[in-house]
Amino acid sequence: MAVLRSVIPLLLILTLSPFSRLFAQTCTTLGQTPATAFPVCGTSTFTQNTVPLCRTNDIVVPGCSGGGNTGYANKNPFFYKFTCYTAGTLGFLITPLAANEDYDWQLWNITGRNPGDIFTDSSLIVTGNWAGTYGNTGASIAGVDGIECGSDPAANKPTFAKMPPLIQGHEYILMVSHFTDGQSGYTLAFGGGTAVITDPIDPHLLNVKPDCNGTTLRLKLNKKMKCNSLTATGSEFSISPAVTTVVSAVTTHCSAGFDFDEIIITLAGTLPNGNYQLISNNGTDGNSLVDNCGRSIPAGEQVAFFYAVPQPIFADSIGRVGCAPDSVRIYFPKRITCSSIAANGTDFTVTGPAPVTVISAAGSCTDGLSDFITVRFATPVFAKGNYTLTLRAGTDGSTIIDECNIEMPQQSLPFRAEDTVSAAFTYTSQLGCRLNTLTFAHDGAHDVNKWNWTFNNTTHIATPIHTIIFSATSTNTVQLVVSNGVCSDTANHTIVMNNEVKAGFEMPDVICPEDPLMVKDTSTGLIDNWQWNFATIASSNVKDPGPQFFPQNNIESFYTIKLKVTNNALGCTDSASKRLRVLDNCFIAVPTAFTPNNDGLNDFLYPNNALKADDLEFKVYNRWGQLVFATRNWQEKWNGKISGILQAPGVFVWFLRYTYRDTGQKFFQKGTTTLIR
């Protein structure tokens, strides 16, 4: 809804916001907070005829609310929660019960999160629609991308968003917000999308456990059931043999929610020792327990249990011990009284091949009881072997006490730890001129029996030793993951191969006759010998030879410069050569005539020998003042054409600007040249 958001200026909204919050009412009605959201079955239609007025939190609306969230809140909301059982798109329809009413909505993905996180973590937002337009809203195939922001109803902003994709196994919360007070309500119907949000599991009795005195039973169900399907008298249950009757059934979950999966059943009398069946019946309300999709636990379904007057119990087992354990978890056939667990861990000792110091112990407590105890060590257990955990009387003077207030006898439980492992590996290399052969090995210490090598993110090998070939010029990544079935480790290494001998050097292509030639070696690889050959002029065997001078014979000359590099140990050699042009002179001049007839003589017009002309600019104009050629590269030449068209013989004017490199002196020259055909 957005009538107020668009009509009231921003300054006024900011002025009113603190005032409006003074009158915000806490949302206490079931369904009006994320924690008490309505559970959704995909076939359900919800009708909200009355909506208690409340508001507690501003809402971030992507693309609309900015940093302050002004004007967007959980105002008079209802929340709906559901799980995606088959991935697909979500479709739903919100239909106002009266004309000229507008409802906003927003969807969050709360998988693994507390429902209240929707108010603080905007990354959970999936989609929504806050357009201030009267009428139906929801998510449909024809909906728009993104979230529509508030506007005047006359603007007719789209009220349907595109159906969002849901992820299998993820949990979601949908909020429907009543932006103005006094709206008549709405219906919410899910459908039209391809995602399945209907729980496919049929409801059943799971297990039942009698209490210590044999007068109450704790029943666990395999899924959530509707609170209103349970009668207070527990008429949905009976006992066989019928030694007593059920007088009440309660669940703590229904005081702050709509469903439950655990029930406390109270019996009329105490159970004698023996085996029993708890039976599901149709209660006085005409049905057995019903899930959120309306499916009932079958009448007559039974679950067995045994009751005996409590005796001292022994711990069942120690949970699976992982790699380098710093704790163990002990399971019991009955729940343990948390207050009897010495927090400093003195109820337990550990002996074995390596010393282990217990530093703490704690349960996962609900209502003061826990199904297991976690015993923590001062340091992880790295040495393999058989260890023994002993239960004894702690500093509180007693051993562990169970839910029946019976102290457990002293006992010992074995567990085994495995060695930690290291994935550190070694390798040897056999270098070649173009290819290198490397052999990788792992020693298999500490009972390692699984290897997973990955070379350059592609090749996977499962043996302790492997030989592979790498290019002599390459950078290679190697990863090894090892495991002994319990412990694993990973090692990564980057191996740079740079032994391939490649000859290379840098030098100018053209020099003036009076200037020396300077060369710079750029060869790569493991090189121990350089052989330079400067035509017939000179030679050298140093890596970077000094300046080389060539004869000044007033004739443009060409020389071949060669470099041969060698790795004597590997017997690898490579060579490179370049052609050097030595000008007849470096006097910069523009010819007075040229003949562009492709005979190889005087075919182009350009400033000759302008090797040392920096910041050069050369331009040619015809007799009408039209620019026919321009360049800043002295070796770029005019061929006597304009746009590919041959120019007629005649006189052309040229201008030349440059800075002479050796002196820094600036020159400007102009003249004429005759084009002859």
Side-chain angles (χ1 to χ4, degrees), residues 544-566:
D544 292 300
Q548 303 294 320
F549 290 89
F550 291 83
Q552 300 184 37
N553 52 17
N554 298 323
I555 299 173
E556 182 173 285
S557 303
F558 294 89
Y559 301 91
T560 299
I561 312 302
K562 295 182 179 180
L563 170 62
K564 180 181 178 182
V565 292
T566 303

Side-chain angles (χ1 to χ4, degrees), residues 124-413:
L124 305 181
I125 298 170
V126 177
T127 186
N129 190 290
W130 294 77
T133 304
Y134 300 140
N136 297 348
T137 184
S140 67
I141 295 176
V144 297
D145 291 321
I147 299 178
E148 289 291 336
C149 303
S151 67
D152 187 87
N156 290 324
K157 278 207 171 183
T159 58
F160 281 83
K162 181 176 291 185
M163 291 184 183
L166 301 187
I167 303 171
Q168 183 174 349
H170 283 222
E171 187 177 5
Y172 298 85
I173 276 188
L174 173 69
M175 181 190 74
V176 179
S177 174
H178 307 61
F179 186 73
T180 60
D181 298 338
Q183 296 189 159
S184 301
Y186 61 88
T187 61
L188 168 62
F190 291 87
T194 59
V196 175
I197 59 174
T198 300
D199 188 348
I201 299 175
D202 289 325
H204 293 286
L205 305 177
L206 188 60
N207 60 63
V208 63
K209 182 181 293 186
D211 71 347
C212 299
N213 57 23
T215 59
T216 61
L217 306 175
R218 184 182 299 270
L219 171 64
K220 292 287 291 184
L221 307 170
N222 71 329
K223 63 183 302 187
K224 299 280 189 179
M225 311 299 286
K226 288 183 178 180
C227 288
N228 60 14
S229 69
L230 175 67
T231 61
T233 60
S235 58
E236 291 83 7
F237 305 102
S238 59
I239 300 290
S240 177
V243 295
T244 186
T245 59
V246 173
V247 295
S248 72
V250 297
T251 173
T252 58
H253 297 80
C254 290
S255 61
F258 296 95
D259 49 16
F260 63 91
D261 59 5
E262 184 175 276
I263 308 171
I264 302 299
I265 300 172
T266 301
L267 306 176
T270 301
L271 291 169
N273 290 356
N275 294 298
Y276 297 91
Q277 299 285 335
L278 179 67
I279 304 170
S280 171
N281 307 302
N282 288 326
T284 56
D285 56 359
N287 55 260
S288 67
L289 301 182
V290 178
D291 70 9
N292 292 308
C293 290
R295 292 173 294 193
S296 302
I297 294 177
E301 182 169 293
Q302 302 180 12
V303 59
F305 66 95
F306 172 78
Y307 175 74
V309 175
Q311 301 294 323
I313 63 169
F314 290 90
D316 280 336
S317 61
I318 291 179
R320 185 177 184 273
V321 177
C323 180
D326 61 359
S327 64
V328 292
R329 179 173 290 185
I330 311 166
Y331 293 90
F332 300 88
K334 289 185 179 179
R335 292 184 297 173
I336 300 302
T337 303
C338 291
S339 60
S340 71
I341 305 171
N344 59 6
T346 53
D347 290 318
F348 303 94
T349 60
V350 176
T351 57
V356 179
T357 301
V358 175
I359 59 171
S360 69
S364 177
C365 300
T366 302
D367 298 329
L369 299 171
S370 177
D371 292 316
F372 59 84
I373 297 176
T374 300
V375 179
R376 297 197 174 278
F377 310 143
T379 57
V381 178
F382 294 111
K384 76 174 180 178
N386 296 317
Y387 293 79
T388 300
L389 181 142
T390 300
L391 171 63
R392 64 177 187 175
T395 54
D396 56 1
S398 68
T399 61
I400 302 301
I401 297 174
D402 68 24
E403 62 183 333
C404 296
N405 203 34
I406 298 177
E407 186 175 349
M408 293 179 58
Q410 295 192 23
Q411 72 172 114
S412 296
L413 288 172

Side-chain angles (χ1 to χ4, degrees), residues 584-621:
D584 54 351
N585 65 78
C586 278
F587 177 74
I588 300 173
V590 180
T592 57
F594 74 112
T595 57
N597 56 6
N598 296 321
D599 65 352
L601 300 173
N602 301 318
D603 285 330
F604 301 97
L605 177 65
Y606 63 101
N608 293 334
N609 304 327
L611 179 65
K612 296 185 178 183
D614 292 335
D615 301 324
L616 176 142
E617 184 178 18
F618 179 59
K619 295 182 178 180
V620 181
Y621 297 84

Side-chain angles (χ1 to χ4, degrees), residues 27-56:
C27 297
T28 57
T29 302
L30 287 182
Q32 287 203 292
T33 65
T36 64
F38 289 99
V40 172
C41 176
T43 59
S44 301
T45 297
F46 295 86
T47 300
Q48 305 294 356
N49 291 310
T50 59
V51 183
L53 304 183
C54 67
R55 167 178 168 164
T56 60

